[in-house]
Amino acid sequence: MEKNLTYKILEGHLVSGELKKGEEIGIKIDQTLTQDSTGTMVYLQLEAMNIKEINTDLSVAYIDHNTLQTGFENADDHEFIKSSAAKYGIVFSKPGNGICHQLHLENFGKPGGTLIGSDSHTPTNGGLGMISIGAGGLDVAVAMATGKYWLKMPEVLNVELTGKLNTWVSAKDIILYILDELSVKGGVGKVIEYSGEGLKYLSVTDRATITNMGAELGATTSIFPSDEETYKYLKSQNREDDFVELKADDNAEYDDVLEINLEDIVPLVAKPHSPDNVDTIENIKGLKVDQVAIGSCTNSSYTDLMKVANILKGEKVHPDVSLSISPGSSKILNMLAENGALADMISAGARVLECACGPCIGMGQAPKNNAISLRTFNRNFYGRSGTKSAHVYLVSPEVAAISAIRGSVEDPRKLGNIMDIDVPEIFKENDNLFVYPPNDRNGLEVKMGPNIKPFPINGQLKEGVDGKVVLNVGDDITTDHIMPSNASLLPYRSNIPYLSKYAFSTIDEDFWKRCEKNQGGFIIGGDNYGQGSSREHAALVPLYLGIKAIIVKSFARIHKANLINAGIIPLEFVDEENYKNIDIGDDLEITNLINELKVDGEVYIVNKTKDIKVKTKFTGSSRDVEILREGGYLNWVKKNFGGIKND
Ligand code: MIC
Ligand code: SF4
């Protein structure tokens, strides 16, 4: 059989199962990454497992999401993660060093390797030819402890790129074009593997922009071959030894193919409130802009920021616009400082922020009421900017920069000739914000502040469960709806009881009170429930509030895994009629759960209020069933891998 690249890398890492579409496989994990907002849970979970040290080639703990330190909570969390990193042999990246995915690309990602990370944009490193998957924190903790990760063998969709991008059209437009074609559900259960003649025009950081936003397609991951461009990039980072050439066999088999001629793409935008609400820049030209934010793990590379600096040079940011720029890494910021580009940005009137996620995760820069905010980020979900009435548009760095000057959306093709960016052959070394673990780690203890509260652990599955429907929502509910993140909530990522009062608060402020009154119950939802972030808080908070099962039309991959890991039963309606038959406040009962919960089993729910029986299905592996029966992954790990200290 002629093999595609995904198959080749998975084959080389396979520890259990068969590489057949839909079957559960176990793979060896070479590297893991965590970031602070999901990381505190990961290290609490690692503490709860009785391990001495990690079982991967490399694990890195980044601090990038919350670097504001508005109170002791946040600083204590950083200290907790730092001390855990030292104890278990994990590299620690200090706040200010940059955004995890950009830093991992620069410093650690390896073609042909495997990486899982407790952040949904981990696939960014697919730009280097690495299988990089976003997962819930507990999956990452188990991968650190065992060196393994289990997943359903995805389909492989080949995106074949031909032609060459037109002037002023960039990698961001390619992924927006694909989002328009496939939608935010189009990648579910798939790896997106890129190939074709068009690749030679895309640098590794362009490719990383594309694989990064593969998360918005719902894809398991996205991957590019490792070729001359990869070599050039690794060499620029003084890592040419990590290079191996990798590509699919000629005539490799794929489950599906999407052909894209890069010449057909024009500057694009994702309009509020979804990354697949794509339109052309031409169509929204002239729209008055209040805020422009450049950065995030999607568009904060050296090349992206040099393009921005060149556009801003000698110009002035419009008086009605606030322009912020957050570089992806301290290495990039350092280089911009040395070559004068930083001065060009500052003199144009840009607000240069720390190298971190910043406004992308609502850490500051919440726009004014009803503002139009152009962002080079990857998500424009409702409320994520911190201002519910704001309208966030996702665009390329080029569109962002020129619109900041004009004060309204502008088509960059108006600028005439494109400037050439001189990317240095060798980047300036800057290792000073990494802390490497000591060789002698004997006796090292973790340091835990008072904001770090124990996380909820479920009990074993019961034969019957009953309760009220406490929430009924529609399609495309994001993790930002379920567990919002902003400057006031992010400091409490290690405090589930506190966070529980804000669950679903962007759409229903009384949700938690209803849960408290009814001792939890059931949530009903539509398609693609739980899209977006890997934050397992979106499962742990409902668990804390007593949610027993979530019944929807379909789930997003990472969130479904997080629900299973937490021991919350994820069920899917078998037809539309059944979905319509349940209302908020209805009394539901599942009487035969232990019997019915099996691989692809049918689970019947009695709607006692309406006196009807509703048919649902459970789709998961036998391992998922075992995990749910044990009441979650930690209990399962305890049973299968030995003791857990603090249960
Ligand atoms: C995001 O972009 O939504 C985040 C913040 O990076 C999340 C992680 C989190 O919620 O902490 C993600 O993408 O997984
Ligand atoms: Fe950070 Fe935003 Fe990237 Fe998430 S999407 S990792 S918040 S920069």
Side-chain angles (χ1 to χ4, degrees), residues 15 306 398 524 645:
V15 291
M306 282 305 295
E398 294 88 328
I524 306 296
K645 261 193 285 174

Side-chain angles (χ1 to χ4, degrees), residues 35 37-38 65 119-120 361 379 384 493 533-535:
Q35 40 90 338
S37 68
T38 53
H65 278 60
D119 189 281
S120 63
I361 187 58
R379 291 186 173 151
R384 183 176 163 103
R493 279 292 183 96
S533 159
S534 66
R535 63 188 74 141

